[in-house]
Structures are given as C-alpha cells and as structure tokens.
Amino acid sequence: DAGVIQSPRHEVTEMGQEVTLRCKPISGHNSLFWYRQTMMRGLELLIYFNNNVPIDDSGMPEDRFSAKMPNASFSTLKIQPSEPRDSAVYFCASSWEAGNLRYEQYFGPGTRLTVT
Amino acid sequence: DQQVKQNSPSLSVQEGRISILNCDYTNSMFDYFLWYKKYPAEGPTFLISISSIKDKNEDGRFTVFLNKSAKHLSLHIVPSQPGDSAVYFCATGGSSNTGKLIFGQGTTLQVKP
C-alpha cells in the first residue's frame, strides 16, 4: 500500500487566498483525521471523520476552516481566506475502527503551508 | 489545559545506552496509549502501544511501561542507535470510545555515535 497520500507537499500563498489541502487515506481504513502542527501548540486534531461522517470538529479553529470527505478515498481541508497565522504543517492520518476496537493511526507526509 | 504532557523537550544519550522518554497524563480514565516517532519532513509513525490492562509491552528494542497509579508512562529504547534520533510523541485515545488521539508536545531524542 502507498500509505496516506497528501498533496501538495508545500504550499505558499498570499494572505486572503483560498487554500485546499488534499488527502487520500489508506484503502480499507474507515477513519480519517486532519491535524495541524505548530511550534506553539504542537500536534492538534482539527477534525475527525468516521465512515465519511464528521464525528468531532471541535478542533477546527474558526469558520475559515472547512473539511469534507465526499467518499472513503478522498478528503479536503480548505482555508478561506487564509491568514499568516495559518502557517503550519498539516497532517492527514487514517485508521481502522470497529466497535470498541481501535487501531493506530497512519500519517501522511504532511503539507507545509506558508501564508505570507 | 494539556491532558498529555511530555515535560522534557529534549534528551541526548550515547549510542548503546538506554533512552528513557517520559509522559504524564491527567485523567485516570484514559485507557489506551501510544508512542509515535517523527523524523524531519515526515509524518509521525506508530511505534508501540499499550492498553491500561497491561503495565508493560515490549517490541524488540522498544518497551513501554505504564504506571496507572502515577498516571505515567515511559518508553525505553535499549540499546539506543543513532537512527533512533527523532521526535517522540506520546498519545492517548482518552476515555472516549473513538479513534481520536490526544498528543503530547513531543521529546526530541538525539543519540550520539
């Protein structure tokens, strides 16, 4: 398996522009997670989908952030409009869940976002 | 309010010696813990996990110990190798019955040849 795939790997954009990050989870996994890593806040969960349904979006910073999972093999995280404080590394991860069974999450390589 | 704390931001050890990374958590209801390793420009990779019904789990050079009364877990790497140099995150599934993880801030381990 190719693992979790994220694109783009690097994104540089100007303040006010729309940014879309993409993720393809591992085939067969039914849970998908978006994280943001910054020096100040470490690795924080933004949103979590299970079976394509958002389960917990309490980590989404504000209305400028939105995430979708139209099918089991694709998810997007959109920032509109972007601001310099959104600069961070954004990770997507996937895992398998079944009832009370939980398994480790597999992370993608991340997208480094720079907003100038 | 950090529910998972890694109080040592960095650790340096000599090759061949033991590395001990520590993690504290706040809620005694937390029942599943994991360690992840992260190299620069890569995503975190799963290393080892432990359920609260155990107090030790071993996988090759890596052993995780769980002290529930102290709400503390540790990762032991023996013997340490230069390739182990990375950032190590502890994480917990919390007390919820979901796949959501809460991560510590990470400890940067440097293993010197």
Side-chain angles (χ1 to χ4, degrees):
Chain A
D1 199 312
V4 175
I5 299 172
Q6 290 186 247
S7 65
R9 291 294 310 273
H10 301 274
E11 177 80 35
V12 180
T13 190
E14 291 184 350
M15 183 174 65
Q17 296 297 306
E18 177 180 297
V19 175
T20 300
L21 311 181
R22 296 173 176 80
C23 176
K24 177 178 168 55
I26 291 173
S27 177
H29 282 184
N30 62 358
S31 290
L32 183 140
F33 308 82
W34 282 101
Y35 290 90
R36 178 171 67 176
Q37 185 182 23
T38 60
M39 291 293 291
M40 292 295 293
R41 301 175 67 89
L43 195 61
E44 54 179 340
L45 177 68
L46 300 177
I47 187 168
Y48 153 41
F49 292 88
N50 180 249
N51 293 322
N52 311 338
V53 176
I55 302 299
D56 185 341
D57 64 355
S58 58
M60 294 287 264
E62 48 200 271
D63 292 344
R64 297 184 298 107
F65 285 69
S66 62
K68 294 182 180 179
M69 191 163 186
N71 57 62
S73 59
F74 184 66
S75 176
T76 59
L77 177 68
K78 187 176 291 187
I79 308 172
Q80 166 63 16
S82 58
E83 296 182 2
R85 60 192 169 122
D86 302 330
S87 298
V89 181
Y90 291 80
F91 290 104
C92 175
S94 70
S95 71
W96 169 254
E97 292 179 44
N100 290 334
L101 295 177
R102 293 164 284 169
Y103 297 90
E104 61 270 16
Q105 295 179 18
Y106 291 82
F107 282 75
T111 295
R112 179 172 294 277
L113 173 64
T114 303
V115 183
T116 60
Chain B
D1 180 27
Q2 277 190 282
Q3 301 182 69
V4 179
K5 296 180 183 179
Q6 294 176 255
N7 291 318
S8 298
S10 63
L11 174 68
S12 181
V13 300
Q14 206 66 37
E15 180 179 5
R17 306 293 291 269
I18 184 171
S19 295
I20 300 176
L21 297 104
N22 294 302
C23 180
D24 297 300
Y25 58 95
T26 58
N27 191 327
S28 58
M29 297 297 290
F30 292 170
D31 61 359
Y32 180 58
F33 303 89
L34 311 89
W35 283 95
Y36 279 79
K37 178 170 72 174
K38 185 184 180 303
Y39 292 119
E42 296 183 10
T45 55
F46 170 74
L47 198 54
I48 193 169
S49 64
I50 188 166
S51 163
S52 60
I53 62 174
K54 293 185 174 183
D55 54 18
K56 175 183 174 181
N57 189 25
E58 191 172 352
D59 183 1
R61 297 185 297 113
F62 301 91
T63 302
V64 56
F65 295 92
L66 178 61
N67 182 333
K68 291 183 284 292
S69 61
K71 290 182 282 192
H72 176 85
L73 68 154
S74 60
L75 175 68
H76 292 211
I77 306 173
V78 184
S80 301
Q81 299 174 354
D84 296 329
S85 298
V87 180
Y88 289 80
F89 293 94
C90 78
T92 177
S95 55
S96 65
N97 195 25
T98 71
K100 180 176 173 178
L101 292 179
I102 305 165
F103 284 84
Q105 293 288 87
T107 296
T108 300
L109 172 66
Q110 182 185 26
V111 180
K112 297 179 179 178

